[in-house]
Structures are given as C-alpha cells and as structure tokens.
Amino acid sequence: MHKIAVIYSTYPELEKIAHEYEVKKGYHVEVQNCVLNKAVEVAREYEAKGFDVIISRGATGRLISKAVDIPVVDIEITNFDIIKTLYKAKAQGTKMAFYLYDNDLRYNDFDFIRKVLNINKEDLSIYYFEDVSELKEKVAKAYYDGIGTVIGIGAYTIEIAKGYGMKTAMVRSQSEAIYNAFTQAEKMIEAVHDLRKVNKSFDAFIQESFLGLIFLDSSRKITYLCESISRYLKINPSLLIDRSIDDAFKDIPLFQPLLDNKNSYKANCMGSDLFVKKTTLQGNGEIIGYAIKIQYASYSSDVLSMKELEAGNAKNTTNKAGLKARYTFDDYIGKSEAVEALIKKAKSYSKTDANILIIGESGTGKEVLANGVHNESPRKGGPFVAINCAALPQSLLESELFGYEEGAFTGAKKGGKIGIFELAQRGTVFLDEISEITLAAQAQLLRVIQERVLMRVGGNKPIPVDVRIIAATNANLAERIRMGQFREDLYHRLNVLNLHIPPLRQRRDDIPHLINYFIGMHMRNKSIDIPSIFMKKLQNYEWYGNVRELENFVEKFVILSQDTEDSFKLLEELYFDLISSEMHASTFCDDKISINIGTMRDMELEIIEALSQKYPEDKASLARKLGISRTSLWTKLKEIEKIK
C-alpha cells in the first residue's frame, strides 16, 4: 500500500483531494496542518514510520526536503496563481509586499506580472527569505516602509503580517497542481518499487558468487544489502537501507571490526569462518561509495581475527560498571494527563535511535526522563553517561566531552584521557544545559553527530563513536540562535525529536502524589498525613523551582516533624516561609514589565512607554537595551505623545 504524508497549513481543497485518493485508490494518506520547523519535526516522524513520500509546498516543503531522506513533492505555484491573488489584493488600494522562500530558482516573472496587472514597481515589492528570523525581519521592514498588504505562499507569513495589523492575501494552488503533485508522488513510489525488483534479480546473481554483498554511498549509508546475507544473519534489509552502517550494524558482532575501521578481517559467525573485506569505489578521482564483500574463508596471516582485535582493544577498555541509568519511567511521578502524555511520547521515542532534545524549566525532572528513555531503549545494556555542561569550566568542557591526547595541554595526564563520548560507546550521552557549551565545542559536537567520529583534543586520528545523544535545556535556544550564541545547524541535529516538560504549576493535580512520594522516601517506614487545607495551599503555590523545590520543602518538613508534636503549626510556619521567600524574590524582578496584547505596533509602543517611565533619565541606556538608535527611540516617544 502506498503511504503518503501531506504536510501543509490549513487548506480544505488539499484535504479533500487527499481523502479522494484514500477512498478511490486505497492509499494510506495522512494530512497534518503545520508549517516550518514544526512541519520538519512531523516529517521526520513520518519518515520513521516508513512513509513513502511527503507532499508539501513553499518554504515548508523546502525545509522538509533538507531534513528527510524520503522524496518530497512540491505543489507547484504558477504565475497564474500569483496573478489571481495579486489581482484581488490590488483592489485593497495599498502598497503590496510579496514573500517567497529563496530557493535560488526565482522562476516567477514578476516584471511580466506587474505589466499584466498594470502595477508600478514601487507598489509591489518582492522579498525573498531563507529562514523564519529573516521572514520576520522583512515583514517588519515592509510595515515600517508603509506597505499595507502582504501576500504570502504560506500561513505563517500571513500570521506575522496580521500581528502588525496589515492586510493579507495567501496564494493558493489550483486543484490541477495538487492532483499533479499526487500523480508525481505515485510515480516516485512506483519507481522505488521497480528498483526493488531489479535488486531481487541482482540478489540471484550475487548468491552464485558470494555469501553477501553490501553497497554504501560516500557517506557510509547502506544503499544495497543482498538477500543471502540478510537471511544468513536473520536481519530485515528494508529496515537497514538508507541508514548509516554505524547505526545499522552496531548490534551485529560480525561487523564490529568494520565499524572500528578494519577494512579486511576474518571472523567466526554462526559456526562458519568468514572473510569480510571493504573496498572503496571511485569515479573521476572521487569516492562514490564502498562495497563490502562477505565470503566463506579460512584464517590466514594477512588479516586480523575478532579475537586479535578484541585483544588489541582491551588495552583501552575503561571500567564502565558505574555508568548506568538510575531511573526508569516509573520514577517520573505523576498521574495528570500532561505527564501521561509526556511518558507515552517518551516511550515511543525510546524505540528509535534518533537524538532527543528535552526542554523544561529547572527542577522539572529532565535527567529522570532521559534515564527513562535510555532504560526503555535497545541501548539499555550500554552505558548512560550524563554531564552538566554548565558545571564545568568552559576551558575544560571540550576535553571532558571528547577526551585528549598526552601532551595536549599543560597538566594533561600521561597517556591522555578518553572523553564521555568514548565512555558511552554503544550507550547514551546525556548533555544537560546544552545551551551553555562554547561555539568551539558546538562545532566538535556537530561533527560527532554528522560523521559519527570524534577527534580528541591534541589528537589527529578520527575515532568512531556509536552513541545516542539526549540533550536538555531550560534556555530559549531560538533566542540564543538569534543572538549568535548557539549554532542553528546543531539545534536541528539535536532537535530531531523533542520532549517539552510542563512546569509543576501547570500540572497541579500531581502535587499531592509527589508530596506523598517524597514523604515515603524520606520517612522510610513511617508515614504522616498532610491536612487537606494545607494540601490545597501547596497545590495553589506557584513552585517556580518545580519538583526540586517541592522535594526540598517536604524534606525540611519531615526533618523538623521528628522534633515536634504539632505538625499543623509546623506546616503553617514552613508555608509562611515559602510565601515570604517568593515575595522577597519578586522584589528583585525589576527587569519585567506587563503589557496588553494587541497589534505588534501597539505592543511595541507600550513596551517603549513602560521602559521610558522606568528609566526616565537615561535614554541612551534605554536605546541600547531596546537594540535601537537614540534617534529611533526619540521618534517612537514622539509617536507615543501624539497618541496621548
């Protein structure tokens, strides 16, 4: 059955045609209404589910095609579609701005379109953008340049423009273009099926010559795996195609020397002596791929056996007995809908080997969740190595993550030291507070993710690594990217899958369960009841320190309750301390203001007015804080005076 995913903003015509293909042709078609980065996340999930092709449009389609390996069909936008939209938008009588994702083709002839519609060049500006931040900047520019109407290909452009109170129009593809996209998707799927038939014929030939033959592309992804070796090793080839051999072969003992960069060796597998050899394939002086040949053979002196390889590696083996995940999903306490949905999603993610980004405030249990993912995954038998990226001096972080060679720097240990990525081989690395690593360490980490190799500090030899990465942060990474403090390409590599942990104040129903759990944990065989009046108060408290703050409160209560008979009075005192500390902390929050929700222009002016009242004597500092020039600040203040 053909499996087609359609990812696009709300578009009734598209959903109607998708349903038609489901009913009339029996295809499995799923439609998701989302755009840009959210659409990329959904596309990766469809790829993991084994969908054949994705249909999308505009900037969303371009982003998806860069993020997944399955075919992505673009719904065409013609000059006629644009002319039809501009004709209606022109009637609004304002200057117009048209926004297009910059795919370097720019095949729409806007000079011709202006001529057809009799639109002056100054009345129709064309803006190209490459990412969300640039789109936002260019919509803002159009607003301040006096443009009144925005035309976009996707819903997100329209949403941004509406935030400024601008008129909008969205270009819609004709039904014919949508049908063409589905037809193209069908042809792509059929071509893949035809290729599989050719592979079967090739398999029949291979069986006459070798036990097995495997082809890789230049990035070491499996492009072909013959049926005979699949049967011999009892593996499903369809699950391995398009996967890196470092990932696909990690649990197959026959190929471990291959993953350790041994190009030819002998090993015993299933009671037979086999010879494995990897050959580099070249074309026009460039590496175009690799061929791995497996044959029956007897041991000879020119290749290393498994035992010889293991003996050589034993010198560098580190004791990993203590590197175990301590928690499971059962240790994440809560029965609210939010927690149950979170755990369900995390369990689904556990089955894959993709990287995960956990986002949540401090004290919400990000490390407990990461432990649970590891213990539920196929890697649960391997090490779980956690590091807090903010706890180490940044000058030492690279050497801790990636290790170092002897003499790499002053004070380096004799013989060097392996880093946490090597410690975590065949397991999981948990990088807490990932937002705090230096740009240099980010570049190294990106290379490890992309190439599956690392280079020790002071070293010159690439070391293969096989780890799953789970990263966590309580920071706004999008803002860090905007400020140039975090690499956008690394963000997308880490954010293949993500888990958003709700703060405790958004799941208040879990507070009684957590309190009883912590009382049981700290009092061991004893128990104590919290009066319902106090339980209600504790449920209504904001808990900005989340579960960690709640546990500290309960532990303090348990300790002090040993020396008092009046637990009610003790709870009153502790709750008063809790409220007092919250009020005290709030007196230091001078950098916060409240504004009313309105158009972007109204909110901007309200922010400037509120801050100018806070800092009436220092307009230069205020301009720097707002990131604008003093001239722009004075212009805005004059505008505020006129409104009043």
Side-chain angles (χ1 to χ4, degrees), residues 128-155:
Y128 293 92
F129 63 93
E130 293 185 353
D131 52 41
V132 173
S133 60
E134 187 177 6
L135 173 61
K136 289 179 178 178
E137 288 174 9
K138 290 190 173 180
V139 173
K141 183 180 185 304
Y143 169 74
Y144 289 114
D145 286 346
I147 288 172
T149 302
V150 164
I151 298 99
I153 302 297

Side-chain angles (χ1 to χ4, degrees), residues 53-224:
V53 67
I54 293 172
I55 297 174
S56 190
R57 196 180 83 145
T60 297
R62 306 290 193 284
L63 290 174
I64 290 172
S65 64
K66 292 178 181 178
V68 299
D69 292 325
I70 59 176
V72 179
V73 177
D74 188 49
I75 300 173
E76 185 182 357
I77 299 160
T78 66
N79 281 338
F80 179 75
D81 297 329
I82 295 173
I83 289 171
K84 188 176 178 181
T85 306
L86 286 173
Y87 178 77
K88 293 180 180 178
K90 181 186 174 184
Q92 298 186 29
T94 64
K95 289 186 176 182
M96 297 177 287
F98 198 107
Y99 291 84
L100 283 168
Y101 184 76
D102 191 354
N103 63 349
D104 295 326
L105 295 178
R106 302 191 181 187
Y107 52 80
N108 299 110
D109 189 347
F110 282 100
D111 289 335
F112 170 75
I113 291 170
R114 287 189 184 99
K115 191 173 181 180
V116 168
L117 294 175
N118 194 25
I119 298 174
N120 296 325
K121 192 168 185 177
E122 59 269 20
D123 291 331
L124 176 60
S125 302
I126 311 301
Y127 292 96
Y128 293 92
F129 63 93
E130 293 185 353
D131 52 41
V132 173
S133 60
E134 187 177 6
L135 173 61
K136 289 179 178 178
E137 288 174 9
K138 290 190 173 180
V139 173
K141 183 180 185 304
Y143 169 74
Y144 289 114
D145 286 346
I147 288 172
T149 302
V150 164
I151 298 99
I153 302 297
Y156 194 66
T157 304
I158 304 304
E159 183 183 329
I160 295 170
K162 284 181 177 178
Y164 284 92
M166 303 167 82
K167 296 176 181 178
T168 60
M170 187 165 79
V171 180
R172 296 188 179 275
S173 299
Q174 302 301 304
S175 296
E176 183 182 355
I178 300 172
Y179 279 114
N180 286 341
F182 273 91
T183 301
Q184 190 179 346
E186 287 181 286
K187 289 179 179 177
M188 284 185 173
I189 296 171
E190 287 164 5
V192 170
H193 290 175
D194 289 342
L195 183 60
R196 286 173 184 163
K197 291 177 183 176
V198 173
N199 284 344
K200 285 186 178 180
S201 300
F202 191 55
D203 274 335
F205 166 74
I206 293 300
Q207 289 178 37
E208 298 297 319
S209 308
F210 313 111
L211 172 61
L213 186 65
I214 302 167
F215 286 123
L216 316 175
D217 65 15
S218 58
S219 62
R220 290 165 56 95
K221 283 187 177 179
I222 300 169
T223 57
Y224 172 80

Side-chain angles (χ1 to χ4, degrees), residues 462-619:
I463 300 171
V465 289
D466 171 23
V467 298
R468 182 192 201 169
I469 297 173
I470 302 177
T473 183
N474 58 14
N476 185 338
L477 288 184
E479 179 66 15
R480 296 288 177 95
I481 292 169
R482 191 186 68 79
M483 296 174 68
Q485 297 171 350
F486 200 86
R487 295 180 62 122
E488 186 172 7
D489 47 5
L490 176 59
Y491 169 76
H492 291 304
R493 288 289 184 175
L494 293 172
N495 193 38
V496 177
L497 306 173
N498 58 60
L499 295 168
H500 290 264
I501 304 181
L504 192 54
R505 59 188 173 277
Q506 290 181 10
R507 52 183 185 101
R508 299 180 189 275
D509 291 345
D510 289 330
I511 290 175
H513 299 295
L514 286 162
I515 289 173
N516 292 329
Y517 173 79
F518 290 135
I519 287 175
M521 185 174 72
H522 291 294
M523 294 198 74
R524 303 195 178 182
N525 297 326
K526 299 180 182 179
S527 64
I528 187 170
D529 291 327
I530 302 286
S532 59
I533 185 173
F534 276 109
M535 191 66 83
K536 196 69 178 173
K537 285 183 178 182
L538 294 175
Q539 278 185 277
N540 291 330
Y541 182 67
E542 291 301 311
W543 299 109
Y544 289 110
N546 291 293
V547 178
R548 187 179 295 123
E549 183 184 9
L550 177 62
E551 182 181 5
N552 292 344
F553 175 86
V554 173
E555 185 177 7
K556 187 176 181 181
F557 168 66
V558 168
I559 291 170
L560 295 177
S561 67
Q562 309 300 315
D563 299 318
T564 182
E565 295 181 359
D566 193 345
S567 60
F568 193 91
K569 184 179 179 182
L570 174 60
L571 280 168
E572 279 187 324
E573 292 172 354
L574 293 178
Y575 184 73
F576 179 77
D577 290 344
L578 200 63
I579 298 297
S580 299
S581 64
E582 182 185 36
M583 292 174 63
H584 179 70
S586 67
T587 62
F588 294 95
C589 296
D590 292 334
D591 61 341
K592 294 182 180 178
I593 60 171
S594 296
I595 64 168
N596 297 311
I597 296 175
T599 65
M600 293 293 292
R601 176 177 173 275
D602 291 342
M603 290 192 291
E604 178 191 56
L605 295 179
E606 192 173 345
I607 290 169
I608 292 172
E609 182 181 13
L611 290 177
S612 67
Q613 291 172 359
K614 261 192 171 185
Y615 309 103
E617 305 299 328
D618 193 357
K619 294 293 187 283

Side-chain angles (χ1 to χ4, degrees), residues 181-366:
F182 273 91
T183 301
Q184 190 179 346
E186 287 181 286
K187 289 179 179 177
M188 284 185 173
I189 296 171
E190 287 164 5
V192 170
H193 290 175
D194 289 342
L195 183 60
R196 286 173 184 163
K197 291 177 183 176
V198 173
N199 284 344
K200 285 186 178 180
S201 300
F202 191 55
D203 274 335
F205 166 74
I206 293 300
Q207 289 178 37
E208 298 297 319
S209 308
F210 313 111
L211 172 61
L213 186 65
I214 302 167
F215 286 123
L216 316 175
D217 65 15
S218 58
S219 62
R220 290 165 56 95
K221 283 187 177 179
I222 300 169
T223 57
Y224 172 80
L225 191 147
C226 75
E227 190 176 346
S228 54
I229 191 65
S230 303
R231 285 199 307 268
Y232 186 84
L233 296 174
K234 296 182 176 63
I235 55 179
N236 186 343
S238 64
L239 298 177
L240 303 182
I241 298 298
D242 285 335
R243 287 172 61 186
S244 163
I245 59 167
D246 300 288
D247 174 39
F249 291 167
K250 65 179 183 295
D251 296 321
I252 303 176
L254 174 64
F255 296 124
Q256 294 314 303
L258 191 69
L259 301 186
D260 292 331
N261 291 325
K262 301 298 179 183
N263 291 329
S264 62
Y265 58 92
K266 288 183 289 188
N268 187 279
C269 180
M270 309 285 188
S272 299
D273 291 335
L274 302 180
F275 174 71
V276 180
K277 184 175 182 179
K278 186 178 82 171
T279 304
T280 301
L281 306 176
Q282 294 189 334
N284 296 326
E286 294 183 356
I287 295 176
I288 59 173
Y290 305 90
I292 301 169
K293 181 175 65 176
I294 304 103
Q295 290 178 296
Y296 291 105
S298 58
Y299 283 105
S300 62
S301 59
D302 60 337
V303 292
L304 293 174
S305 70
M306 282 279 211
K307 290 183 178 179
E308 290 170 324
L309 282 168
E310 289 170 359
N313 289 335
K315 298 176 182 177
N316 297 319
T317 300
T318 303
N319 181 12
K320 302 178 182 178
L323 303 177
K324 296 293 181 184
R326 295 178 294 158
Y327 307 108
T328 67
F329 287 130
D330 291 337
D331 295 306
Y332 201 94
I333 308 302
K335 296 183 179 179
S336 63
E337 288 184 10
V339 168
E340 288 182 352
L342 176 69
I343 298 300
K344 182 180 179 182
K345 195 174 188 181
K347 284 182 176 180
S348 296
Y349 289 171
S350 299
K351 299 171 187 175
T352 75
D353 216 23
N355 297 332
I356 299 176
L357 180 63
I358 302 176
I359 302 164
E361 294 179 7
S362 180
T364 50
K366 295 187 286 293

